[in-house]
Each structure stands twice: as C-alpha cells, then as structure tokens.
Amino acid sequence: MEGLSLDNMMTEEEAAALFGTENKQEENEETTSNNPEESKEEKKETTEVVDVNNLFTEKPESVGSEDNKEKEDTSSKEVTSPNFYSSIAKTFAEDGVFQNLNDDALSKVNDAESFIDLMEQQIQSKLDEKQKRIDKALNAGIEPTQVQRYENNIKILDSITDEAISEEGEKGENLRKNIIYEDYIQKGFSKERAIKAVERSIAAGTDIEDAKESLQSCKDQINKAYNNALKEAEEEKANEEKELKEQAEALKKSILSDSKPFGELELDKNTRQRVFDAISKPIFTDPNTGERLTAIQKFEADNHNDFMKYVGLTYVLTDGFKSLDGLVKGKVKKEIGKGLRELEHTLNNTARNSDGTLKFTSGVSTDPESAFSGFTLDI
C-alpha cells in the first residue's frame, strides 16, 4: 500500500468539485443574503489563509530620537532603567491593553527584549486556533502554498455536515460516493479498488454510515499529514539553527584566539574583539523591514558597490586574505625610498674637504684616532 503524501491530497478546486461545495456555497449565499451580519461573518470565514507573519513584521521600537536608533544596544540599556519597561507594561495592563496576560508574564518585563516578548504574547493570545496553527506552520518553515493547501482541505472537510451526507436523492448519494472514494485514495488504495469499495457500500445500503466514517478518516489523514509536515519542518529548522550556532562559535573562537591572522602581523585582544563585534553584533535596525543589522551588514546595505570594491581590493592585495605583505611592504618600500632620497639630498648639500671627505662644522677630522691626538695617556 502506498504511503500518504501531499500529492494525494486534494487541491481546493478538486475538493470543491468532488464534494459539491460550490453548490453549497451558492445556497449559503442565497440564505445569508437577507441577513447582513451573517453574510459579513460568512465572508470573513471564507477568506483565504491569513498571513499571520504580517502581525509580527512591525515590533515596538524603544523610545528615543532618530539619532539614538543608530547607537549600540548596550548603550541604550545603560541609560534606560528596567523600571521604565515594567512601568509601561503595568500601565498597559491597567488600561486593558494586556488583558489576556497574567501577572506572571507581566512580572518578567525588565528590558526592551522582554517587553517585545510580552507584546508578541498578547498578539498570540488574540489569535484563534486556525491562525495559531498557520502561524506555527509558517514559523517552522513550511511553504505558504503548502500551508494553504492543507488549510483549504481542512476547511472543505469541516464544511460537510451529517445532514448533507444523509440527504436523499442524487446529490446526497454523489456526495457519499465521493467521500468514501476519497477515503480509500488517501489510504493509498488504487482507483479501481476505491471504486469497488464505493459500489459495495451502495449495494449493502451502508453508504450513509460508511460516508460519515470516511469523512472522519479523511480529516484524520489530512491532520496527520499536516502534523508530520510540521514535525519535519521543525526538526529541519532546529538542525539548521544548531549548525548556525556551531558555525558562529567556531568563527568567534577563530577570530578571538588567532592573534596573527595575516602572517607576522599581530593583533591585540581588543582589536580582535572589535572585528568579531563588527560582523556579529546587531547595532542597527532597518526602518523598512525591522531587520537587525551588524556594522558590516549596514555598510554593505548602504554602500553595496563600495563594499564589493573593497572586498575585491583586499582579496587581491592580501593574496586571497593570506598576507598583508601586499599592503604593508608597499608602504614600507615607499617610506624607505623617501628616506633614501632625503639622505641623498642631505649628503649632496653638505660641505666637504678638498679630498672629498665630509667637513664637520666642529672641525673634527674623519680620522677616528685624531680625537685623542691632544691627550697623553698614562699607562
């Protein structure tokens, strides 16, 4: 027997045609057209999958001027009292903004991060089960189109009532046939075997009860496939996060422990820490996306062409990031050349004796022993 896969699941159009939900929706529209409030609720219910991610794209920013947004997180924490955020949380709770949160959640607020967490808890508390399910799936990394497909199937199956299954006439019989058939297909049976099962049920007169059981079975199959996809996505995400954490720790160790990354040039501990902070510590917030950026990421975002140019120059001049000789030796050679030219100029403009030797202003001869010619040494 073949295993259940997403490929066997119904698309929204297939399921709608299979269970005759198009006619059912038309009937609902006619029934609710006389009641504006009910029509409004029905319209809300049939809306496509809610993009819950939009609820979290804008997070509260800390109070301060535009200039302060460019400063490091540590500096803002130093000047902001923990009581500032806890006082805001308490005020919001008293005013009914955090009405769905308990005292325990409010007591944990002591900085900007914990206040943002509290805001997210409040948002989560206002979501219904469907929105929570979608949010969990999207956060786990399941593709939105796949999430929508699961949700559409759940919605269609939930819309089928016992009354519709028990309905007499051709419409009710076709619905029962389709439900039983779909149940066998979802379980991995071939089309031929599914059709035979439907025929047996009709012939035995048990199609109503069989269809009700098959409907529940279809729901269970869809929920199982949904949960399996969610579990796999969460495991994959956890593995990716673990790998990223290990890479970050290895990078930190490499930068902070390697005092001579470029040959003999030695970097002190403070400089190595600054290098690590530049590539790992978020200190800017993108005003458009809310994304936190490091100093390097900020420079690349604002000066992409210059960033690529400097990386290319550094790569070439350091022989593939191996040595600073291409940068340092060139400068040293230039300074040595400049010094030699200055020395040559000085020598050429210094007075000389008739024999070409240097003429010192003190009158000292070039003979090293002449300095002692005027002295008698008692030995």
Side-chain angles (χ1 to χ4, degrees):
M1 181 184 298
E2 299 179 1
L4 178 67
S5 69
L6 186 61
D7 293 335
N8 291 329
M9 293 173 58
M10 301 170 284
T11 63
E12 183 177 11
E13 293 77 9
E14 290 171 345
L18 184 65
F19 299 130
T21 54
E22 292 179 347
N23 295 332
K24 189 174 186 301
Q25 290 176 355
E26 291 176 359
E27 292 176 0
N28 289 339
E29 290 175 358
E30 293 176 0
T31 304
T32 58
S33 60
N34 295 327
N35 192 331
E37 293 299 324
E38 292 182 1
S39 299
K40 183 176 180 182
E41 292 298 323
E42 179 65 20
K43 182 177 180 181
K44 180 179 179 181
E45 176 62 26
T46 56
T47 304
E48 289 187 2
V49 176
V50 180
D51 185 2
V52 185
N53 275 354
N54 289 337
L55 297 175
F56 306 102
T57 54
E58 296 184 4
K59 296 183 178 180
E61 295 182 357
S62 58
V63 178
S65 66
E66 292 296 325
D67 294 337
N68 289 336
K69 293 181 180 179
E70 299 296 321
K71 294 182 179 180
E72 296 185 1
D73 289 345
T74 53
S75 62
S76 63
K77 291 179 181 177
E78 292 173 356
V79 299
T80 305
S81 169
N83 293 330
F84 173 76
Y85 296 102
S86 60
S87 297
I88 293 179
K90 183 178 179 180
T91 301
F92 279 11
E94 293 173 350
D95 292 344
V97 178
F98 292 153
Q99 55 184 343
N100 296 327
L101 301 180
N102 54 36
D103 294 337
D104 182 59
L106 295 171
S107 65
K108 295 179 180 179
V109 177
N110 52 26
D111 55 20
E113 288 75 10
S114 57
F115 183 79
I116 292 175
D117 290 339
L118 190 71
M119 293 290 291
E120 291 184 349
Q121 291 180 41
Q122 172 63 24
I123 293 172
Q124 286 287 332
S125 69
K126 299 180 75 66
L127 300 179
D128 58 28
E129 291 303 317
K130 177 182 177 181
Q131 291 171 326
K132 290 179 180 178
R133 186 173 63 235
I134 295 172
D135 179 54
K136 186 176 182 180
L138 293 175
N139 286 337
I142 300 179
E143 289 295 326
T145 53
Q146 189 177 2
V147 173
Q148 186 173 17
R149 191 171 180 180
Y150 282 121
E151 291 296 332
N152 285 335
N153 279 280
I154 292 174
K155 176 183 174 182
I156 291 171
L157 292 173
D158 287 343
S159 69
I160 301 174
T161 63
D162 288 347
E163 290 76 11
I165 294 176
S166 302
E167 184 178 342
E168 297 181 358
E170 183 179 357
K171 182 178 179 181
E173 183 177 330
N174 288 336
L175 177 60
R176 293 191 291 272
K177 288 180 179 179
N178 287 330
I179 294 174
I180 297 171
Y181 173 84
E182 185 62 31
D183 179 27
Y184 277 87
I185 292 297
Q186 290 294 324
K187 290 177 178 177
F189 287 89
S190 65
K191 293 181 179 180
E192 292 75 14
R193 292 192 63 181
I195 292 173
K196 289 181 179 179
V198 172
E199 292 173 347
R200 286 195 302 269
S201 180
I202 297 295
T206 60
D207 52 309
I208 293 179
E209 292 303 319
D210 291 343
K212 290 179 180 179
E213 291 180 4
S214 291
L215 177 61
Q216 184 59 50
S217 177
C218 286
K219 292 180 179 180
D220 293 341
Q221 292 292 326
I222 295 299
N223 288 327
K224 181 180 179 181
Y226 204 170
N227 290 332
N228 287 341
L230 178 60
K231 182 179 179 181
E232 291 177 2
E234 288 177 335
E235 289 177 352
E236 182 177 353
K237 182 178 181 181
N239 290 334
E240 290 178 353
E241 291 177 349
K242 180 181 178 182
E243 184 177 350
L244 288 175
K245 184 177 180 180
E246 291 175 350
Q247 291 176 355
E249 291 176 350
L251 176 62
K252 181 177 181 179
K253 181 178 180 181
S254 174
I255 293 176
L256 298 182
S257 63
D258 188 1
S259 63
K260 295 183 178 180
F262 292 109
E264 295 302 315
L265 178 65
E266 186 170 359
L267 301 179
D268 59 44
K269 184 177 180 180
N270 181 57
T271 300
R272 298 198 300 272
Q273 182 65 52
R274 288 170 56 197
V275 171
F276 180 73
D277 290 344
I279 65 175
S280 66
K281 188 175 183 179
I283 57 175
F284 299 99
T285 301
D286 189 315
N288 298 320
T289 65
E291 182 182 4
R292 299 284 289 159
L293 304 175
T294 65
I296 293 293
Q297 290 172 326
K298 179 67 163 55
F299 182 87
E300 181 183 10
D302 295 343
N303 312 276
H304 179 71
N305 289 343
D306 285 344
F307 179 82
M308 297 304 297
K309 179 182 73 174
Y310 295 137
V311 170
L313 287 171
T314 306
Y315 180 83
V316 171
L317 294 176
T318 59
D319 189 23
F321 304 122
K322 297 176 183 176
S323 172
L324 288 178
D325 289 350
L327 293 171
V328 178
K329 286 187 176 181
K331 184 176 181 180
V332 171
K333 183 177 180 181
K334 181 178 179 181
E335 292 297 325
I336 292 176
K338 179 180 178 182
L340 290 174
R341 287 193 298 273
E342 291 179 351
L343 177 60
E344 182 181 5
H345 175 75
T346 301
L347 292 175
N348 288 336
N349 290 278
T350 301
R352 296 177 180 271
N353 296 315
S354 58
D355 61 356
T357 58
L358 294 178
K359 183 178 182 181
F360 295 96
T361 55
S362 61
V364 178
S365 171
T366 56
D367 182 2
E369 295 182 0
S370 64
F372 303 98
S373 60
F375 298 89
T376 300
L377 298 178
D378 295 328
I379 299 178

